[in-house]
Amino acid sequence: MAKSSEESPSRRTFMTVVIGLISAIVGVAVTVPILGVVLSPLFKKRDIVWIELGSTSDLQKIAPLTPKFVPVYFRVKEGWSVNTLPRQVVVVKDINGNFYFFSNQCTHLGCPLHWIPARQKFLCPCHGGMFNVLGKVVGGPPPRPLYEWVHKIEKDTVFIQNKFLNNPKERGI
Ligand code: FES
């Protein structure tokens, strides 16, 4: 009859493999959730926040059909950090006193627009895109009118969100 010590190497090998497999499964089960918690901020969308643009009484002082470029700074959480996003709001008052809050970003490839008073147009320096004062495309390659910032008026204050109207993406800009 063979001694038990002669059977033990294969049995020991088997046990080692089983214990190794169990250790690996437990390791993965513990590590994956931790990695998920640690890495998930990297895949999160940019926050959407409100900031104060100014008082309505100040905006009323803007001359009709004369764009006013207002710099704004959105403080948003992105991943693990909080960043400041400098943006421009182009405020336009029409002849009926309605306000528009445009982005200064060209809708072709995103270059910053300049207002040319002599031509009463926004001009894109990149490929010659042109928009009228109410944001409609009047020349060049831009495929759509100017983007408008989501905004709201509470009491006497205008608030702007880092998001465009009619933007299907639920993501901060
Ligand atoms: S980016 Fe403005 S026309 Fe191309």
Side-chain angles (χ1 to χ4, degrees):
M1 188 172 153
K3 288 184 180 175
S4 63
S5 61
E6 289 171 359
E7 296 172 350
S8 60
S10 63
R11 192 171 177 180
R12 211 177 298 133
T13 306
F14 174 74
M15 289 306 289
T16 305
V17 169
V18 168
I19 290 170
L21 275 175
I22 291 172
S23 301
I25 290 168
V26 170
V28 168
V30 169
T31 309
V32 167
I34 292 172
L35 275 179
V37 169
V38 172
L39 297 179
S40 64
L42 286 179
F43 302 101
K44 279 187 86 174
K45 298 175 212 161
R46 177 180 286 164
D47 277 357
I48 296 175
V49 296
W50 289 102
I51 57 158
E52 199 176 310
L53 182 70
S55 69
T56 50
S57 44
D58 280 345
L59 294 186
Q60 290 298 346
K61 295 174 192 158
I62 295 175
L65 306 182
T66 306
K68 181 179 168 68
F69 285 65
V70 183
V72 290
Y73 302 89
F74 294 104
R75 292 277 296 163
V76 298
K77 200 159 168 281
E78 295 181 281
W80 294 292
S81 55
V82 176
N83 298 323
T84 301
L85 309 176
R87 300 286 184 262
Q88 290 274 344
V89 179
V90 184
V91 185
V92 173
K93 183 166 82 171
D94 71 13
I95 52 171
N96 298 315
N98 301 310
F99 283 98
Y100 300 82
F101 301 92
F102 295 119
S103 163
N104 72 326
Q105 185 182 318
C106 179
T107 56
H108 180 220
L109 294 177
C111 290
L113 300 167
H114 303 289
W115 173 247
I116 310 295
R119 298 174 69 181
Q120 288 289 293
K121 287 183 179 54
F122 293 101
L123 190 66
C124 178
C126 293
H127 315 105
M130 285 188 291
F131 303 82
N132 71 13
V133 70
L134 296 180
K136 306 275 179 292
V137 180
V138 290
R144 52 153 293 154
L146 290 183
Y147 298 114
E148 289 183 72
W149 295 104
V150 173
H151 63 278
K152 65 180 178 183
I153 298 174
E154 283 181 359
K155 296 184 181 161
D156 184 37
T157 306
V158 180
F159 294 88
I160 296 285
Q161 208 173 46
N162 58 326
K163 186 175 185 307
F164 294 147
L165 283 172
N166 306 320
N167 181 358
K169 291 180 192 157
E170 278 301 323
R171 177 179 189 282
I173 293 161

